[in-house]
Amino acid sequence: MMYQAIVIACLIGTSAVQREQCTFLEAQMWHESEHMCKRHALVLSERVHRHMRGYKPVAWSCKPLP
């Protein structure tokens, strides 16, 4: 099974409940283990503010792929 990292980023000053100001970021990299996926998701979370000014990560997960 493969895994894909997903990060949810929201505009600073909004809550995760206000979904219209949040975005789902899906990594274009697949991992063979959930552990490696989690490590990648954390790295992506740390980089959100560099690529999307005004946004902050609020959640992440690893989606299992067939």
Side-chain angles (χ1 to χ4, degrees), residues 12-63:
I12 293 174
T14 63
S15 68
V17 176
Q18 296 170 315
R19 296 248 183 240
E20 65 274 358
Q21 295 182 1
C22 296
T23 186
F24 289 80
L25 308 170
E26 294 183 352
Q28 297 301 309
M29 182 179 205
W30 294 268
H31 302 280
E32 292 184 9
S33 71
E34 190 173 11
H35 174 73
M36 292 300 292
C37 180
K38 287 179 181 180
R39 287 179 52 182
H40 188 225
L42 288 173
V43 169
L44 292 175
S45 294
E46 293 171 355
R47 295 179 181 170
V48 165
H49 72 282
R50 293 183 198 163
H51 302 288
M52 298 177 65
R53 291 185 186 266
Y55 282 78
K56 65 178 179 179
V58 295
W60 60 266
S61 67
C62 286
K63 177 172 71 172

